[in-house]
Amino acid sequence: MAMAVHDFTFLFAIGLCFAFLDAYGIGANDVANSFATSVGSGSITLAQALIIACFCEFGGAFLLGANTTETIKGGIVQTSKYTGQPEILMLTMVCALIGSSTWVLFASSKGLPVSTTHAIVGAICGAGIAAFGADGVQWEGIRNIVLSWVVSPVAAGVVCAIFFMFTRYVVLQHDNSFERGLIAIPAYFGVALTIQVFYIIFKGAPSSSLKSASIGIPVGIALGVGALVYLWCFFFLRPFLRRRIQDDEDLKWFHVFYVPFVGRRERAAVDEAESQKEKGEAGVDGEGHADPSLVQLEQGELSFFQKFKKVAFAGLTHDIHANKGKNTDHAHENAIKYDPQTERLFASVQVVSACFTSFAHGSNDVANAIGPLATIFYIWDNASFNSKAPVPVWILVFGGVAIDLGLLTYGYQVMRTLGNEITYMSPTRGFSAEMATSITILTCSKLALPVSSTHCITGATAAIGLCSGGGFRSLNWKALLVVFGGWIITLPAAGVVSGLMFAFVARSPMLA
């Protein structure tokens, strides 16, 4: 009996729930990668990263998200197998979302940065094998994924090493590193924006007419933007950073836009008596002990709203630098530390590179969750399937919100691994890693080489450790091997869960 419109509504409802969980896991894992080095280096706090990422990820998904998405991610399964039975494809996608979300959430709970793209591909592959056997899978796609385990981290690691070693020898190792940094910052900003604009045009806006335009147009736009940014940084950002960091003036962030016209602003001296008064008002006595009444209030019964707020914003209270193990401490101790003021110069550049990477990520990888959901919805609403399933606006919003929630409540786990445990991270190191990730994704994608953003940032982080002065001793090899093991397990783990779910549902006895 042929499927009718709005048949199998229960499958659509289940798919909706697990698509939300999958997008939540993407936020907690994949998106956390974009800001792990920024938070780990101290350029921004975890709360600031969450706020910025919420806007960047949601903006990327909503504004630059594709109008259509592949029915079968990566061409892993033969679409011809589903001709005349769209409900089977619908079930395949539901099981794929169950398998992918289960593995990604488990990996996130352990702080393992895994590829959510590989998770959904593995899950679809598992369900496809359960449905049609080995003949239902295009194994060439699996070969490309295995190849990406090597291509992604090695390519990003090489690019990252070039960036960081150049910065190290040209800026960091000199006695006048701060002055050299002030000269380098505008150039780095210009290069970063040029690359990131190019990245957004080609990777982040698949439906844009610029993607199919002559190569000269996007290159010209990117170079033009980079040149304007360089000039602005030279005349505004340089003097702002010098006065705020070196001269320790009391400048606010908005002063950067008109700093040449701002007079000298001395920091107000803090009076000791006033400081003691503030401590008293905060419930702390002169010896640093909290007021007993406040302790009782803290331990008292919380209202429902207070409990909800505590759970919802739990991700903001975690310190990703805490609970360092012996291996992490050893890696940090063997990394060379450079002038703190010079490092602070690069914090602003790192924030920008992280923002653009996150914005472009939202426009692309959100499809890992909403792609299968868009397929499920299209089949449910049309009782047929198409090789390209249109993506309604509400699904883009749905995926963007789930991603933000995942990052907000659970992103600290993966941030701790990439931003702290593998190696010592500073603003110059983090900036190099983020730039290497963006360049690698852009270049390899255009060369049709398989890459993963997660594998790229991990490879770049490992390269930072090797170039930090201590060689192999500057890396936490135990944490790195665990992460690599997670990459290998991702494909079969998601596939097994998805395949078992499909087999359980499709091969079960039916009531007469």
Side-chain angles (χ1 to χ4, degrees), residues 308-506:
F308 174 79
K309 183 179 178 182
K310 185 176 180 180
V311 173
F313 294 97
L316 297 175
T317 63
H318 287 272
D319 180 11
I320 70 169
H321 298 92
N323 303 321
K324 291 190 295 186
K326 183 172 65 175
N327 293 329
T328 301
D329 288 335
H330 184 263
H332 286 201
E333 290 168 1
N334 283 284
I336 297 176
K337 315 301 189 297
Y338 298 101
D339 177 47
Q341 288 191 339
T342 306
E343 290 283 6
R344 283 182 63 190
L345 286 174
F346 285 84
S348 54
V349 192
Q350 188 185 3
V351 172
V352 171
S353 63
C355 284
F356 276 91
T357 302
S358 178
F359 189 82
H361 176 274
S363 69
N364 290 282
D365 283 21
V366 69
N368 292 337
I370 68 169
L373 178 61
T375 301
I376 293 169
F377 175 72
Y378 184 87
I379 294 174
W380 177 76
D381 203 38
N382 295 275
S384 63
F385 76 90
N386 197 340
S387 59
K388 293 287 184 178
V391 181
V393 173
W394 72 265
I395 290 185
L396 286 173
V397 175
F398 179 82
V401 170
I403 283 176
D404 289 345
L405 287 175
L407 181 66
L408 175 69
T409 57
Y410 220 38
Y412 64 90
Q413 296 278 17
V414 171
M415 283 188 181
R416 178 183 293 128
T417 300
L418 287 176
N420 180 59
E421 290 186 0
I422 292 177
T423 191
Y424 173 75
M425 196 61 64
S426 64
T428 51
R429 292 171 168 90
F431 165 72
S432 301
E434 289 165 358
M435 286 299 297
T437 299
S438 297
I439 292 173
T440 303
I441 292 173
L442 170 64
T443 306
C444 290
S445 296
K446 288 301 156 188
L447 295 176
L449 295 175
V451 291
S452 162
S453 59
T454 300
H455 298 174
C456 286
I457 191 66
T458 305
T461 302
I464 285 294
L466 293 174
C467 297
S468 288
F472 291 99
R473 295 175 299 172
S474 298
L475 273 176
N476 181 351
W477 287 98
K478 181 180 179 181
L480 201 58
L481 289 174
V482 169
V483 169
F484 185 71
W487 297 355
I488 298 175
I489 296 173
T490 294
L491 200 72
V496 166
V497 174
S498 175
L500 289 176
M501 285 299 302
F502 186 95
F504 177 76
V505 175

Side-chain angles (χ1 to χ4, degrees), residues 182-247:
L182 285 175
I183 297 173
I185 284 297
Y188 273 129
F189 251 106
V191 171
L193 266 295
T194 298
I195 292 172
Q196 299 298 348
V197 168
F198 200 67
Y199 177 44
I200 286 178
I201 292 175
F202 277 89
K203 271 289 271 169
S207 60
S208 172
S209 59
L210 289 174
K211 186 179 179 182
S212 58
S214 169
I215 189 69
I217 295 177
V219 168
I221 293 174
L223 289 175
V225 171
L228 289 175
V229 169
Y230 172 83
L231 292 174
W232 181 82
C233 291
F234 189 87
F235 292 107
F236 290 90
L237 185 62
R238 279 182 74 241
F240 173 80
L241 292 174
R242 180 191 295 277
R243 292 174 59 178
R244 187 173 186 179
I245 297 175
Q246 191 175 54
D247 301 338

